[in-house]
Amino acid sequence: MRFGGTTALAGVDLTVARGERVAVVGASGAGKSTLLGVLDGTVTPSAGKVLVHGTDPGSVRGRELRRLRGRTGTVRQHLELPGQLRVVHNVNAGRLGSWSVSRAAWSLLRPQGTAEVAAALHRLGLADRMYERTDRLSGGQRQRVAVARLLVQRPELVLADEPASALDPALADTVLAVLGELAAERGGALVACLHDPALALRHSDRVVGLDSGRVVLDAAAGSLTVAELERFYGVAR
Ligand SMILES: Nc1ncnc2c1ncn2[C@@H]1O[C@H](COP(=O)(O)OP(=O)(O)OP(=O)(O)O)[C@@H](O)[C@H]1O
């Protein structure tokens, strides 16, 4: 993947299998977010081939593309949750793709499927925030709303870009555990970019390390130590 004169990903050859929880690690600018973008179809690779759920996203259109996209869910680093909407609407946005236009429109007046929204928020410690305006929440609370959105979407492939960056250690563990469970519920996979080496090792089966867009580490999480991983973040302790 090239952006003008910058090579963000080069020669990446990677297969993620069902049931895997993969932590993607690497220093800032290593290509982690670009890799997730290529997987969820928001970044079109300048060369090479990507298959998601066995399909090249660039080869399908219309309903087939929407169905394919519905099977992948992403929590982004700079998530854009419309602040003026209440939490319930932002969570329900996760399943707009599976609703009719009339149901989606009606839901803005009378929120639909609130039991599932409440259950998702409860899982993330936000049970009492369902009808609050999203812009009244803290950064960490908004991050969890974005995760709740994935819980109601129920994707098979769960992609997360620093999903715990604004959270305290206990909540970071909760969110990573919930994301792993979500992928497992559909027999899918979790691919998460994580800056915290200990968190990455606790919540992944496999660690993929990027350096200047290349895969320089691909190992079982159980075979790595926190100290070894810190090297990939340029962290000196
Ligand atoms: N839309 C873009 N336009 C131009 N360059 C880009 C774009 N997106 C990424 N890049 C460049 O590609 C490289 C990889 O960026 P990427 O965001 O994937 O890194 P990262 O590992 O996710 O970093 P961080 O940990 O800081 O989020 C960087 O050099 C970045 O400047």
Side-chain angles (χ1 to χ4, degrees):
M1 180 66 219
R2 292 183 66 82
F3 294 106
T6 306
T7 301
L9 294 172
V12 172
D13 184 0
L14 208 60
T15 302
V16 175
R18 286 183 177 278
E20 279 191 322
R21 293 174 307 158
V22 181
V24 180
V25 305
S28 185
K32 305 181 296 295
S33 300
T34 305
L35 180 63
L36 289 198
V38 162
L39 292 177
D40 75 7
T42 53
V43 173
T44 306
S46 20
K49 191 168 174 182
V50 181
L51 299 179
V52 185
H53 309 295
T55 302
D56 174 358
S59 71
V60 291
R61 300 266 177 281
R63 188 182 299 175
E64 214 181 325
L65 181 59
R66 280 198 299 280
R67 198 177 303 134
L68 187 69
R69 288 215 167 128
R71 294 173 66 190
T72 300
T74 310
V75 189
R76 292 191 186 293
Q77 205 170 2
H78 304 289
L79 43 108
E80 283 117 27
L81 299 175
Q84 73 280 16
L85 289 185
R86 298 194 188 280
V87 166
V88 62
H89 298 306
N90 266 315
V91 174
N92 263 337
R95 50 188 169 180
L96 287 182
S98 61
W99 281 358
S100 65
V101 172
S102 57
R103 186 172 188 196
W106 179 238
S107 184
L108 281 175
L109 295 171
R110 198 181 181 86
Q112 303 283 295
T114 50
E116 281 158 289
V117 175
L121 291 171
H122 177 74
R123 234 165 131 179
L124 293 155
L126 292 173
D128 54 342
R129 301 302 178 124
M130 188 147 106
Y131 292 103
E132 195 139 327
R133 268 180 63 131
T134 307
D135 55 10
R136 301 244 168 88
L137 301 184
S138 71
Q141 288 164 341
R142 283 203 291 270
Q143 206 163 29
R144 282 179 283 153
V145 170
V147 174
R149 178 147 81 173
L150 250 56
L151 288 182
V152 301
Q153 181 193 343
R154 303 190 67 236
E156 291 161 60
L157 176 59
V158 179
L159 304 175
D161 199 349
E162 292 300 329
S165 58
L167 302 177
D168 65 48
L171 279 174
D173 274 317
T174 300
V175 161
L176 263 299
V178 164
L179 289 172
E181 287 159 17
L182 173 63
E185 279 162 20
R186 304 290 315 270
L190 168 67
V191 180
C193 301
L194 295 170
H195 271 140
D196 178 336
L199 193 68
L201 289 185
R202 274 202 301 281
H203 293 280
S204 65
D205 313 298
R206 175 181 171 195
V207 179
V208 170
L210 292 179
D211 184 12
S212 306
R214 294 184 181 277
V215 175
V216 291
L217 169 78
D218 189 348
S223 70
L224 297 165
T225 64
V226 169
E228 280 166 337
L229 265 199
E230 282 175 346
R231 194 164 62 82
F232 286 92
Y233 302 90
V235 180
R237 286 188 188 161

